[in-house]
Every structure is written in C-alpha cells, then in structure tokens.
Amino acid sequence: MEGERNMSNTYNVLEVSQMAINMEKSGHEYYLEAAQKATGAKAKEIFLHLAGEEKKHIELFTNLYEILSETVKFDSNYLFDEITSAYFQYFVNETVFKNKELGKVINLDNPKEVLFEGINAEKNSILFYSEMLKAPNTAEVSNVLNIIIDEEKKHIIQLTDMIKEL
C-alpha cells in the first residue's frame, strides 16, 4: 500500500539517501575528533581535509535526498524517528567509521598512514553500499547506490593522489 514502509530486505531511495547522509555525518565527526586529538600538524591538517570532504558529501547527498523526496510518493517521516536513526547509525559505526578504533587512528603521525586510513574507510563504505546492491532493489535504488559508490570511488582517487604528492 502506498505510504507504508516495505519491511522486507529491500530499501527505497530515500532510505538509501538518508543512510548515505548519516554515514557522511559520522565520517565528518570522526575526522574532526581525530583532528582535535592528533598531535602532528600534518596529520591534523589531513584529518581536517578529510572532514571537509565528508562535509561536501553531506551537502551532495542532502541535495540528492531533497530531489528524490519531491518525486517519491510515500511517507518518509519514519526515516527520522529515533529507532530507525539509531538502527542506521549502528551500521555506519560498526561498518565504516569504527569509533572504537579512533584511538589507534589519532596516534598516526605519518601523513601517508593517515591517508591510507581514509582510503580504508572509503573502501569500507563502498563495500557496504555494494552489499546493499546485492539485495533485491528497484532500478531507482540501484541507480542511487551507484551514484553514491561512484562518489566514494572519487574520494579514493583523490586520497591516492594526495599520497603520491607526499
């Protein structure tokens, strides 16, 4: 029925977009915290750069969400309820930005190691979204997932280029 949430293993475009926004917000906060705690100036600078890149993705995926919400006809209010947000946040924290590993990351002082950690986070997010692609999805959801994956791949290329410049 229109307006109801599909409780199967499939996702809709707004869920996927909101999950991407939440993942980028987690990344932004993770890198900001790492920058605040980092002791090396270059490491701090790279963490702040990574936080800025996550912020750009928040804006991009928020715009995508807003465009999609104008065309999708169902009640998306549940996406913002406390339980659903906590559920998606759990996956983000356990899959990509592992908060329990922040202590290890902030101790990195070698700029290349910091960038490799950023690449690793991007790879984990690509893996996360690629797994979502394996679920039975609509063409629209697959398209949105592919857009998100392409953006994360661009980040890997950018971070790799930064390593080469060091």
Side-chain angles (χ1 to χ4, degrees), residues 89-129:
Q89 195 61 43
Y90 167 80
F91 281 111
V92 170
N93 288 341
E94 293 302 314
T95 307
V96 180
F97 297 104
K98 299 174 182 166
N99 292 334
K100 61 183 176 234
E101 294 182 12
L102 183 61
K104 177 184 80 171
V105 174
I106 61 171
N107 291 325
L108 297 176
D109 199 33
N110 181 319
K112 284 187 180 181
E113 288 179 343
V114 174
L115 289 167
F116 279 123
E117 283 301 316
I119 289 171
N120 192 43
E122 298 297 335
K123 285 180 179 177
N124 285 340
S125 64
I126 289 170
L127 180 62
F128 178 77
Y129 292 123

Side-chain angles (χ1 to χ4, degrees), residues 52-145:
E53 291 301 308
E54 297 299 297
K55 190 169 185 178
K56 288 178 189 174
H57 270 175
I58 292 169
E59 292 166 8
L60 177 69
F61 297 151
T62 299
N63 289 338
L64 178 63
Y65 179 89
E66 289 169 358
I67 291 166
L68 292 169
S69 67
E70 291 174 9
T71 59
V72 174
K73 293 184 167 63
F74 73 91
D75 181 10
S76 62
N77 287 335
Y78 77 89
L79 288 173
F80 304 101
D81 72 31
E82 199 172 314
I83 294 170
T84 304
S85 293
Y87 178 72
F88 285 141
Q89 195 61 43
Y90 167 80
F91 281 111
V92 170
N93 288 341
E94 293 302 314
T95 307
V96 180
F97 297 104
K98 299 174 182 166
N99 292 334
K100 61 183 176 234
E101 294 182 12
L102 183 61
K104 177 184 80 171
V105 174
I106 61 171
N107 291 325
L108 297 176
D109 199 33
N110 181 319
K112 284 187 180 181
E113 288 179 343
V114 174
L115 289 167
F116 279 123
E117 283 301 316
I119 289 171
N120 192 43
E122 298 297 335
K123 285 180 179 177
N124 285 340
S125 64
I126 289 170
L127 180 62
F128 178 77
Y129 292 123
S130 295
E131 287 299 313
M132 289 178 69
L133 265 176
K134 292 179 183 177
N137 294 310
T138 64
E140 292 84 5
V141 168
S142 293
N143 288 340
V144 169
L145 284 167

